[in-house]
Amino acid sequence: MDDGLSSFRLPRAPVAAAAAALAPAALLAGCSGPQSWADTAGVEAEAVARLLWIMVAAAVVIWLLVIGTMLFAARSGPSDPRGRGARGLVIWGGMVAPTVAVLALLVAGLILMRDLTGRTGELTVEATGEQWWWRIAHAAPAGDADAAPVPTPNELRLPVGRTVEMVLRADDVIHSFWVPSLGGKLDMIPGRVNRLHLTPTRTGRFRGACAEFCGEAHAQMALPVVVMQPEAYADWLAGQAAPAAEPADARTRRGRELFLATGCGACHAIRGTAAEGKLGPDLTHVGSRLTIGAGQLPMGRAEMARWIADAGAVKPGVRMPAFDMLPAEEIRLIADYLVSLE
Amino acid sequence: MKQKTLFEEGSLWPVIAALGIWAAHFLLSYWAAALWCAKAADGSGSLFWVRLAIAVLTLLALAAIAWLARHAVRRYGGRLTFEDDLTEDSAAERARFLGHATLLLCALSAVAVLFDAVPAVVFSTCR
């Protein structure tokens, strides 16, 4: 830079050209990854993306026609609106064509909506929006029809190639369920049951998000999603249905004592122990989850201790109070116990 | 000044009547489906009676709009014109303008009523 004003100069042509060339690349970078509607991994997301691309193509054609006509009119100068063809242009181009285009879009959208919500799934997963986490429960493993659904909060695991019926509810305010790579979105409304279908087409890790502003920590209400082979899914679900593992060593045994003694069980349940709280997420297999706090921290001992000490510092507004009045060592013991619950 | 009644010569009511029919058709169709699915539908969630009701409502609405369009043409001399400017300061020209506006709004409302009914064609259950 030769002087202080150089940053105010217009970019030279090669710079501008490079910027113009890079801009689409930068935009396209947003079209991949674990939370992109364009990088589809589900039948339903593909249907939505297909409709969007058809719409974009049709919009480009219509835009070119309208702009082309406008340029033609500007170049050919003023003429008598009563001239030949003017009436037809107004009726066909201005009335009939837009009506048909909007009708086609309406019918395509309605058929898409019917296909996304109107069928029955091969398995059922209940998801309830809470401030600010996901209360998820999988239908119990096959052959055990009377068993209660298996709680697996803040993590959605699905078998590849199967159509899952998501039963969507909300406990407090309106939330919205959206896993862009797989499908959606659909609102979760207190007092209502909405149903959405997801049919994952490939395995992998994806990210869902609450898509309706629901309060302070709305932006931190993420949902890790794992699509697995059906056998792996069955194994995982059987593991999640089992009660919590017994502590294997003195440290985790002490951690469990502290967990129960400090009142964690008022809000959290650990099946197989005296902790039966229903307010917060079920922690029976919390150590097997990928994240802590609905996608906020990776699962680990240090992260778990940090969450227990002051969850609100990680996720402002969270309902869980800070427990930094406990000695740091006790927090570490509780964290060790929780992370051991796989 | 005395208000003009619905179909008195020079009344403004026909201009907005078609839009009113559209609004009524939309609300009644919406209410029928919402109430049926919330209160009356059986386990299968069949929409048969709602679809029938919306079909009848749609025919009634289209018939009313057609009658209104006929009224606009006969009594007001309305025409589907795009080229003529209706600017003359006379009672006859004002009536022609009202007829013209009514006729165009009838066309718009008829299309809108058909659009309202499309979901009833696509969906056969409450789910």
Side-chain angles (χ1 to χ4, degrees):
Chain A
M1 289 297 126
D2 45 2
D3 62 60
L5 288 175
S6 54
S7 61
F8 290 98
R9 285 184 189 151
L10 286 172
R12 284 166 300 178
V15 178
L22 281 174
L27 287 174
L28 284 173
C31 294
S32 61
Q35 190 184 316
S36 170
W37 58 266
D39 193 2
T40 57
V43 172
E44 292 76 11
E46 275 157 28
V48 173
R50 196 180 314 124
L51 179 61
L52 179 84
W53 291 124
I54 293 171
M55 268 174 62
V56 169
V60 166
V61 170
I62 292 171
W63 187 83
L64 288 174
L65 280 174
V66 171
I67 298 297
T69 312
M70 194 184 78
L71 290 177
F72 173 76
R75 286 181 69 125
S76 53
S79 62
D80 186 358
R82 273 164 254 221
R84 229 156 32 91
R87 185 184 170 91
L89 190 65
V90 170
I91 292 179
W92 290 100
M95 293 165 78
V96 176
T99 304
V100 170
V102 172
L103 180 66
L105 206 54
L106 176 67
V107 171
L110 286 171
I111 290 174
L112 179 66
M113 196 158 105
R114 182 186 65 188
D115 292 348
L116 295 190
T117 60
R119 291 169 296 134
T120 45
E122 294 169 72
L123 60 148
T124 306
V125 178
E126 294 174 24
T128 304
E130 308 267 356
Q131 282 176 320
W132 290 272
W133 59 284
W134 308 86
R135 189 187 293 275
I136 290 175
H138 287 249
D144 200 358
D146 296 332
V150 181
T152 60
N154 291 334
E155 193 163 296
L156 181 61
R157 292 190 181 234
L158 301 172
V160 68
R162 303 277 163 83
T163 298
V164 180
E165 181 171 22
M166 298 295 306
V167 180
L168 305 175
R169 298 187 179 88
D171 249 4
D172 35 38
V173 298
I174 299 177
H175 302 270
S176 187
F177 177 91
W178 195 21
V179 186
S181 306
L182 299 183
K185 59 196 179 254
L186 198 63
D187 278 5
M188 309 165 104
I189 299 170
R192 266 195 72 107
V193 179
N194 280 345
R195 291 162 196 276
L196 178 74
H197 291 89
L198 299 177
T199 313
T201 50
R202 60 180 160 92
T203 57
R205 270 192 70 172
F206 306 98
R207 188 179 188 274
C210 179
E212 182 74 45
F213 180 71
C214 59
E216 203 171 353
H218 160 70
Q220 281 130 321
M221 186 170 164
L223 179 64
V225 180
V226 183
V227 176
M228 321 164 77
Q229 292 296 340
E231 304 78 37
Y233 169 81
D235 288 349
W236 169 82
L237 187 58
Q240 296 288 314
E246 279 296 306
D249 55 41
R251 258 189 92 77
T252 49
R253 203 168 301 126
R254 178 78 186 120
R256 181 169 74 173
E257 279 169 24
L258 285 165
F259 181 90
L260 296 171
T262 46
C264 305
C267 293
H268 295 287
I270 295 183
R271 282 170 284 134
T273 75
E276 290 179 333
K278 295 276 182 263
L279 219 56
D282 182 297
L283 300 179
T284 307
H285 298 286
V286 64
S288 71
R289 283 181 221 146
L290 297 167
T291 64
I292 297 170
Q296 297 317 300
L297 295 173
M299 181 56 64
R301 293 173 172 203
E303 292 82 359
M304 185 63 86
R306 188 178 153 205
W307 178 263
I308 296 169
D310 191 357
V314 178
K315 189 167 176 170
V318 70
R319 297 279 191 256
M320 177 166 153
F323 284 87
D324 48 3
M325 78 296 269
L326 296 178
E329 175 58 15
E330 292 192 2
I331 291 177
R332 276 197 293 275
L333 286 164
I334 296 174
D336 284 1
Y337 168 59
L338 291 175
V339 173
S340 79
L341 293 175
E342 291 196 3
Chain B
M1 198 176 97
K2 186 176 157 294
Q3 289 287 314
K4 290 187 189 295
T5 53
L6 189 45
F7 296 111
E8 203 177 327
E9 199 69 48
S11 161
L12 284 172
W13 286 106
V15 180
I16 60 160
L19 300 175
I21 294 166
W22 166 18
H25 177 268
F26 175 78
L27 277 178
L28 290 172
S29 304
Y30 192 106
W31 286 341
L35 287 174
W36 176 268
C37 287
K39 303 288 182 195
D42 57 13
S44 70
S46 167
L47 275 173
F48 176 79
W49 292 107
V50 172
R51 296 170 91 185
L52 193 66
I54 290 175
V56 172
L57 274 173
T58 304
L59 291 177
L60 286 176
L62 290 176
I65 289 170
W67 185 86
L68 200 68
R70 186 169 157 272
H71 182 74
V73 173
R74 293 239 174 133
R75 293 282 296 276
Y76 288 77
R79 289 199 298 127
L80 276 178
T81 170
F82 304 101
E83 296 89 354
D84 299 337
D85 294 330
L86 299 168
T87 53
E88 198 184 290
D89 184 13
S90 71
E93 186 85 341
R94 275 191 287 278
R96 283 234 312 278
F97 174 77
L98 291 183
H100 175 62
T102 304
L103 210 52
L104 291 181
L105 289 171
C106 281
L108 174 70
S109 301
V111 170
V113 163
L114 285 173
F115 274 32
D116 285 350
V118 170
V121 177
V122 174
F123 288 89
S124 59
T125 72
C126 291
R127 289 169 66 85

